[in-house]
């Protein structure tokens, strides 16, 4: 193969479902930039869930490290990804690697790129919960990644400020908005709600966080309490494939008439479910942004969030992880239509749907192709899609 050295090879690397959904619009935007060639490299940290997300966006990876094993530990994963990723980046002659967020794949890919002398661009840079134990190990992954990057794509000015506080230089930071906003709006607009959910008063639930595993039964019990109190509501919980999650929640939540446990949903079906729900209850990072972007209130089943913009804007409510407290927060909202409507009307603090375009232009700018894009300002996002 002869390489065209005037074209810059940007490798977009990821391994889990949420990384794929939030990188898909970035790949599309990079494809539209002249002078860049995009190569998609996946680790396969999550096999089924990643493949399902790739299918929704019609993406076929150029290279796949296929690292997942059953009940993998974080150090197993790290030990498999780093050397294979380094070899692959060399083979692909990468000029830049774009990583996303805070997974084990993110950090390992950034480290492999760093030791190979390849510039790293970090999408969703600068989120901080302030606690190394919540989310674990994501807070460490995102901080470790930040010290290895050349370009940082901070979704909001708050995340930019976090990076500046840690000594990153302003010239490499771009405030872009969240690419989750770009993805969820595009997909929800074309996705269809499952027929059996139409006309129901839906509450969508997800829980999978590692640090929540010890309290996941408690959280499930809280959801059970609330579901029993609200037979008029239909709860839908697509359960993560992690067997540890399944073992914790299934015995508590199966068998309730208005609580449906499903297999993981494809991203289009999930987007339609979220858009049609009155409330989301979740410990996921991404759902906080997706709820805010669709104008759906979110109860966050965690003690801290790295996405405080939504709490401040009034569309997110932090419920903690203790059974009685979680029940109280959910109960207060599900019995108060006025409060739910108020939360629904809050501005979206996470983006305007143009984050991917800004990222692609910033990458092009880095290679001397085009102008530096301006930063996104929250005021321009104060309207929900109709
Ligand atoms: C990972 C990410 C987390 C992200 C989440 C999204 C890290 C440290 N954590 O956590 O940030 O929010 O993915 O899902 O990188 N499994 C399957 N098939 C799949 C996916 C998972 O069987 O498609 C099983 C495997 O047995 C695996 C286990 O689930 O061992 C856990 O998956 P893993 O990707 O290691 O970690 P998560 O806890 O999902």
């Amino acid at each position: 193969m002869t390489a065209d050295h005037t074209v810059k090879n940007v490798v977009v690397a990821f391994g889990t479902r949420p990384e794929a959904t939030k990188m898909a619009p970035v790949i599309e935007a990079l494809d539209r930039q002249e002078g860049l060639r995009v190569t998609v490299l996946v680790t396969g940290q999550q096999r089924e869930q990643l493949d399902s997300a790739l299918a929704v966006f019609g993406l076929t990876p150029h290279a796949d490290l296929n690292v997942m094993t059953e009940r993998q530990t974080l150090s197993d994963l790290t030990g498999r990804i780093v050397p294979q990723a380094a070899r692959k980046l060399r083979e692909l002659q990468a000029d830049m690697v774009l990583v996303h967020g805070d997974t084990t794949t993110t950090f390992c890919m950034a480290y492999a790129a760093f030791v190979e002398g390849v510039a790293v661009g970090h999408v969703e840079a600068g989120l901080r919960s302030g606690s190394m134990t919540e989310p674990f190990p994501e807070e460490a992954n995102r901080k470790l990644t930040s010290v290895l990057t050349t370009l940082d794509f901070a979704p909001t000015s708050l995340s930019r400020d976090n990076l500046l506080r840690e000594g990153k230089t302003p010239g490499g930071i771009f405030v872009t908005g969240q690419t989750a906003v770009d993805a969820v709006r595009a997909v929800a607009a074309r996705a269809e709600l499952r027929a059996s959910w139409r006309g129901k008063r839906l509450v969508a639930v997800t829980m999978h966080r590692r640090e929540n595993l010890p309290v996941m039964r408690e959280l499930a019990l809280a959801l059970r309490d609330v579901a029993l109190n609200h037979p008029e509501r239909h709860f839908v919980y697509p359960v993560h494939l992690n067997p540890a999650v399944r073992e914790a929640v299934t015995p508590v939540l199966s068998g309730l008439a208005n609580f449906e446990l499903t297999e993981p949903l494809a991203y289009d079906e999930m987007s339609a479910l979220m858009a049609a729900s009155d409330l989301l209850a979740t410990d996921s990072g991404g759902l906080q942004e997706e709820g805010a972007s669709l104008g759906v209130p979110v109860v966050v089943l965690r003690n801290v969030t790295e996405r405080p913009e939504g709490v401040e804007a009034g569309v997110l409510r932090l419920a903690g992880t203790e059974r009685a407290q979680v029940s109280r927060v959910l109960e207060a909202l599900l019995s108060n239509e006025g409060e739910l409507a108020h939360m629904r009307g809050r501005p979206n603090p996470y983006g305007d749907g143009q984050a991917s375009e800004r990222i692609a232009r910033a990458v092009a700018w880095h290679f001397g192709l085009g102008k530096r894009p301006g930063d996104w300002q929250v005021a321009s996002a104060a309207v929900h899609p109709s």
Side-chain angles (χ1 to χ4, degrees):
M1 196 171 66
T2 53
D4 175 355
H5 292 292
T6 60
V7 174
K8 298 298 176 187
N9 186 15
V10 181
V11 174
V12 181
F14 50 89
T16 66
R17 176 178 59 183
E19 292 167 282
T21 57
K22 296 192 212 175
M23 283 301 225
V26 178
I27 294 167
E28 277 176 29
L30 287 166
D31 269 334
R32 290 193 296 268
Q33 282 289 331
E34 249 173 73
L36 303 180
R37 184 176 63 247
V38 186
T39 304
V40 177
L41 166 59
V42 299
T43 61
Q45 172 178 338
Q46 295 179 342
R47 191 67 277 163
E48 300 90 329
Q49 296 184 169
L50 170 68
D51 292 348
S52 154
L54 290 169
V56 169
F57 291 95
L59 286 172
T60 309
H62 301 89
D64 190 335
L65 305 182
N66 202 17
V67 297
M68 192 184 102
T69 57
E70 199 155 313
R71 294 191 188 251
Q72 60 204 0
T73 65
L74 298 173
S75 46
D76 288 341
L77 263 177
T78 307
R80 278 197 299 280
I81 297 173
V82 174
Q84 290 194 55
R87 251 194 315 277
K88 192 49 90 177
L89 293 177
R90 226 174 298 142
E91 193 182 305
L92 293 171
Q93 301 185 9
D95 293 301
M96 172 173 279
V97 177
L98 292 190
V99 297
H100 183 279
D102 53 22
T103 70
T104 299
T105 289
T106 312
F107 166 63
C108 292
M109 272 290 168
Y111 182 69
F114 172 72
V115 293
E116 290 299 317
V118 179
V120 179
H122 189 194
V123 180
E124 197 184 279
L127 275 61
R128 299 289 183 264
S129 69
S131 164
M132 289 293 265
T133 53
E134 285 188 78
F136 173 88
E138 286 81 0
E139 180 80 352
N141 285 341
R142 49 171 89 110
K143 290 177 90 168
L144 290 163
T145 302
S146 291
V147 294
L148 303 170
T149 54
T150 303
L151 301 182
D152 292 293
F153 306 112
T156 66
S157 51
L158 191 86
S159 37
R160 176 201 50 211
D161 293 348
N162 289 337
L163 293 168
L164 291 174
R165 240 192 325 276
E166 290 173 15
K168 303 270 333 194
T169 47
I173 307 176
F174 300 78
V175 181
T176 60
Q178 247 296 348
T179 65
V181 179
D182 312 9
V184 78
R185 285 188 183 172
V187 173
R190 63 176 159 82
E192 270 204 31
L193 186 65
R194 202 178 269 196
S196 61
W197 295 334
R198 289 184 204 143
K200 295 209 160 98
R201 298 173 73 189
L202 298 167
V203 178
V205 175
T206 77
M207 295 193 290
H208 75 276
R209 295 239 70 86
R210 247 161 226 272
E211 73 279 6
N212 272 353
L213 282 174
V215 290
M216 209 154 273
R217 195 184 143 77
E218 281 282 295
L219 288 169
L221 285 166
L223 288 162
R224 188 189 155 87
D225 296 340
V226 176
L228 286 171
N229 247 349
H230 288 273
E232 79 288 0
R233 305 266 177 191
H234 187 75
F235 292 72
V236 182
Y237 176 4
V239 187
H240 193 286
L241 290 176
N242 188 341
V245 173
R246 300 197 149 203
E247 284 154 20
V249 303
T250 314
V252 179
L253 292 170
S254 53
L256 295 185
N258 61 336
F259 211 110
E260 188 176 342
L261 299 176
T262 72
E263 289 302 309
L265 300 177
Y267 186 64
D268 47 359
E269 209 168 24
M270 185 67 196
S271 301
L273 171 65
M274 290 189 290
S277 292
D278 293 327
L279 186 70
L280 311 182
T282 186
D283 65 2
S284 147
L287 261 81
Q288 298 172 48
E289 292 140 358
E290 289 162 349
S293 304
L294 296 167
V296 182
V298 184
V299 170
V300 183
L301 306 171
R302 292 165 53 172
N303 298 306
V304 287
T305 177
E306 60 287 291
R307 290 158 167 96
E309 297 91 340
V311 178
E312 187 142 311
V315 63
L316 307 185
R317 202 153 287 182
L318 210 51
T321 57
E322 193 261 315
R323 177 177 177 178
Q325 170 72 2
V326 169
S327 304
R328 248 193 321 274
V329 172
L330 285 167
E331 188 56 53
L333 289 175
L334 290 178
S335 332
N336 187 341
E337 284 298 336
E339 188 58 23
L340 279 178
H342 175 74
M343 288 176 83
R344 247 193 314 273
R346 308 312 298 156
N348 176 13
Y350 294 115
D352 62 352
Q354 299 298 315
S356 309
E357 194 55 41
R358 289 189 189 92
I359 291 167
R361 279 168 38 216
V363 171
W365 167 83
H366 172 78
F367 289 116
L369 310 161
K371 285 205 314 216
R372 186 184 164 103
D375 280 350
W376 172 65
Q377 313 240 339
V378 73
S380 62
V383 179
H384 289 298
S386 53

